[in-house]
Amino acid sequence: MTARARVMGIAGAIVLLASLDALLAWFDVFTPLLSSTRPTSLLASINRQMTDVVRALYRAPAGPPAIVVLGNSETEAVIRPLPAFEEALANAGAPAGTHVVSLCVFATAPTDAEVIARRLGPLRPRLVVVGIAPPDVGTTLERARDMPITRLLDTGFRDGLVPPGDVEARLDRWVRTVWHLYRYRALLHDLLRPPAERRTPGAFLDIVHTPAEIFVMSYGPERAEELLRLQATFAASGRFEDFARYVTELRGPDYLPGLRERWRDLTPQPVQLEALRRLAAHARDAGARPVWLLLPENPLLELDPEVGGEVATRAAEVAAVVRAEAEALGVPVIDLRTAVPPDGFLDLNHLVYSSGRLLPTLAAALAARGLLRAEPEQPAEEERRARDVAGEQDEAEREEVEGREGAERTAERRLFDRAAPRAPEPEDGEPERVIRAPQRVVPGDAVPEAAGEHGGRLSHRLAEKGLPGAA
Amino acid sequence: MSRPALIGRALALAVLYAAIVAGVVIFGQAGAPFIYQGF
């Protein structure tokens, strides 16, 4: 073999790889590779969800401007099944054909959602709904570094809100910023060679299911039977230990310690609050209205012997801080924290998946705030002020993304930006900064009780149910 | 080596090299996509 053939081969390989990268950048190659079934394990599900996020960001869905939802598994558990949510929205007055696009990825925090939200322009959403639970706002910078979106997708050349922890991480970030094949390697891996595990039909998430159906589909009939038996044991005894046994069988031995760890010493983290501010700015840049959703909280968590005593206080503190931020930014808040009794939860922090239980309540809450109107609202004066507060550094990162993603998408997005005023351009060399909003309790606008038994303190609710811990 | 033979060989090498790189990138990864913390 001649040296000349080898040199030409290397040059040709570079051209082929560059062509593949251009293909990945401009065309959705993921959809044709998708399996008709979905994974059931956590890690494979995360990869599948990230694939869905990447696919969704190539173009807007058909129909009127969509409602985009960002968050993690707790948000996902509230909004599924999406067809039922869309029906509830239509019943509440949303324009016919309004689609809901879930960009939720398990095990993520607002810092991850902020990275996704930089690219919302092509989706042309009407609303950008962000699900928020206390542990999300309490996610430290160190933990945020290890979360899926921050760790695997395009976070840009700049440090952003979550700077890389070391040189290797910085190099990894730079490489995945410029090389799509490298960025999407985990997603392509699972598409080309799906992990050997139990899988569910692709449409399983689109239909309302009972917990028993979900158990059987996800774990098989034998384990489902055991889970139902443990559930019944808890229902009979009301003892937290019995619930812990059930939830450990359901989620595995790491679930409860991990959840406790996230609640222990939980305090609102400035980095996550800044991510929420930037999320609001990104939504407005994409021509949408941001909405924050305070997610349902399971009162049973307050019975946990290790962290239960602190849960109510810490949750209230986080809610107050989020509300104060929302008021400063002019973001509507929908408070679902007490909207579901314990029997509506699958475990200690997720509603029963695909139950659709809260969808009419959520749709009605959006309608009551005038968020489902057909005509997008012009941003009010307070929203303009909010953009001035939240949009500065954020604007620089967004511009970087747009610059890389090409003129066509940028042009399309700027067409929408005309409807909304732009935040001021950052000054050269301006350091990354976290803006502190006033932290005070603001009047609530909680959703009317869906369960009808959440008006009082936990102890009263427990007393009604005859559970331990009642006052 | 004749010109067509050279081009054919270079093309085959290009595909081989590109496939190796893509294969290593996609299938050579290791580790979970995140640290599990009770989600």
Side-chain angles (χ1 to χ4, degrees):
Chain A
M1 186 180 303
T2 66
R4 195 175 172 203
R6 278 199 291 270
V7 170
M8 287 172 67
I10 291 169
I14 292 171
V15 170
L16 281 175
L17 289 169
S19 305
L20 177 61
D21 235 50
L23 187 73
L24 288 169
W26 286 95
F27 299 100
D28 172 15
V29 303
F30 300 95
T31 300
L33 295 173
L34 274 185
S35 164
S36 60
T37 59
R38 296 184 71 94
T40 51
S41 73
L42 181 64
L43 300 185
S45 295
I46 288 172
N47 283 344
R48 171 59 193 261
Q49 288 170 337
M50 286 198 287
T51 304
D52 288 340
V53 167
V54 172
R55 292 168 55 218
L57 295 179
Y58 277 95
R59 71 184 70 80
I67 294 174
V68 168
V69 186
L70 288 158
N72 55 26
S73 53
E74 294 184 37
T75 308
E76 179 89 344
V78 170
I79 62 166
R80 296 279 179 177
L82 294 186
F85 192 14
E86 289 166 354
E87 188 182 336
L89 289 167
N91 292 338
T98 297
H99 285 291
V100 178
V101 179
S102 172
L103 301 181
C104 297
V105 178
F106 291 174
T108 56
T111 38
D112 292 273
E114 187 272 331
V115 172
I116 296 172
R118 294 177 201 170
R119 297 161 184 78
L120 287 177
L123 268 180
R124 302 198 294 271
R126 171 197 311 283
L127 295 179
V128 175
V129 181
V130 180
I132 303 167
D136 305 338
V137 181
T139 302
T140 62
L141 179 64
E142 195 175 37
R143 286 182 176 181
R145 284 197 179 102
D146 287 328
M147 290 185 156
I149 301 293
T150 301
R151 202 161 149 150
L152 280 179
L153 294 189
D154 179 15
T155 48
F157 285 112
R158 294 168 186 268
D159 279 357
L161 283 174
V162 186
D166 53 33
V167 175
E168 186 184 351
R170 184 175 295 280
L171 280 173
D172 175 81
R173 186 174 287 200
W174 286 350
V175 173
R176 67 180 131 103
T177 296
V178 297
W179 192 8
H180 292 81
L181 179 68
Y182 181 77
R183 183 193 307 167
Y184 297 140
R185 65 196 186 284
L187 314 185
L188 292 166
H189 175 279
D190 281 12
L191 289 174
L192 296 172
R193 199 170 66 188
E197 60 178 35
R198 177 178 282 275
R199 298 181 72 88
T200 57
F204 185 73
L205 291 179
D206 292 339
I207 302 167
V208 172
H209 294 288
T210 64
E213 289 170 340
I214 293 170
F215 289 163
V216 171
M217 186 59 79
S218 303
Y219 306 115
E222 284 179 16
R223 196 162 162 219
E225 194 176 329
E226 173 67 5
L227 287 167
L228 290 169
R229 189 186 66 75
L230 291 169
Q231 232 182 15
T233 303
F234 166 70
S237 76
R239 294 169 59 232
F240 186 81
E241 295 85 343
D242 289 329
F243 190 80
R245 266 190 283 280
Y246 153 73
V247 92
T248 300
E249 175 65 23
L250 175 74
R251 293 292 197 192
D254 294 334
Y255 169 78
L256 202 46
L259 188 66
R260 286 169 174 157
E261 187 60 31
R262 291 199 295 145
W263 275 94
R264 195 170 282 124
D265 302 325
L266 187 156
T267 51
Q269 295 295 309
V271 68
Q272 300 301 340
L273 296 174
E274 177 64 10
L276 289 174
R277 294 183 199 114
R278 293 186 183 194
L279 271 164
H282 291 316
R284 287 168 174 147
D285 283 339
R289 288 199 69 183
V291 181
W292 292 352
L293 199 63
L294 296 176
L295 295 167
E297 294 168 5
N298 190 344
L300 283 179
L301 187 57
E302 295 181 34
L303 298 180
D304 180 78
E306 293 190 25
V307 297
E310 307 169 29
V311 164
T313 310
R314 296 194 185 280
E317 182 191 0
V318 169
V321 171
V322 169
R323 282 181 174 284
E325 294 288 348
E327 188 193 42
L329 296 168
V331 174
V333 175
I334 295 175
D335 189 347
L336 297 173
R337 288 179 296 149
T338 57
V340 183
D343 66 9
F345 285 83
L346 187 67
D347 52 27
L348 284 167
N349 56 336
H350 301 91
L351 294 192
V352 175
Y353 286 111
S354 297
S355 68
R357 179 169 188 148
L358 264 184
L359 297 178
T361 308
L362 177 54
L366 291 169
R369 287 158 181 76
L371 298 167
L372 300 181
R373 290 183 201 133
E375 294 300 319
E377 290 185 354
Q378 290 293 322
E381 182 57 33
E382 64 179 13
E383 293 192 1
R384 290 195 186 94
R385 286 202 314 273
R387 289 168 52 81
D388 290 347
V389 171
E392 295 177 10
Q393 180 67 27
D394 154 78
E395 180 76 2
E397 283 162 13
R398 191 178 68 83
E399 296 266 327
E400 180 195 314
V401 169
E402 285 185 343
R404 288 201 313 275
E405 290 188 347
E408 186 176 324
R409 289 187 194 181
T410 305
E412 182 180 34
R413 184 171 188 158
R414 285 192 175 140
L415 197 63
F416 264 78
D417 284 352
R418 285 184 203 144
R422 302 291 292 264
E425 296 293 324
E427 293 175 15
D428 286 341
E430 182 184 359
E432 181 80 14
R433 64 195 182 96
V434 172
I435 306 156
R436 294 181 189 283
Q439 302 200 349
R440 56 196 157 81
V441 179
V442 296
D445 57 346
V447 166
E449 305 297 329
E453 58 179 289
H454 275 271
R457 294 171 52 210
L458 171 69
S459 56
H460 295 152
R461 297 199 298 273
L462 296 172
E464 287 170 9
K465 290 189 152 293
L467 295 176
Chain B
M1 188 183 296
S2 68
R3 189 177 178 82
L6 178 67
I7 291 172
R9 184 162 295 181
L11 275 175
L13 283 174
V15 171
L16 177 67
Y17 292 157
I20 289 171
V21 172
V24 168
V25 169
I26 293 172
F27 296 104
Q29 60 160 334
F34 81 116
I35 308 299
Y36 184 79
Q37 285 165 335
F39 289 93

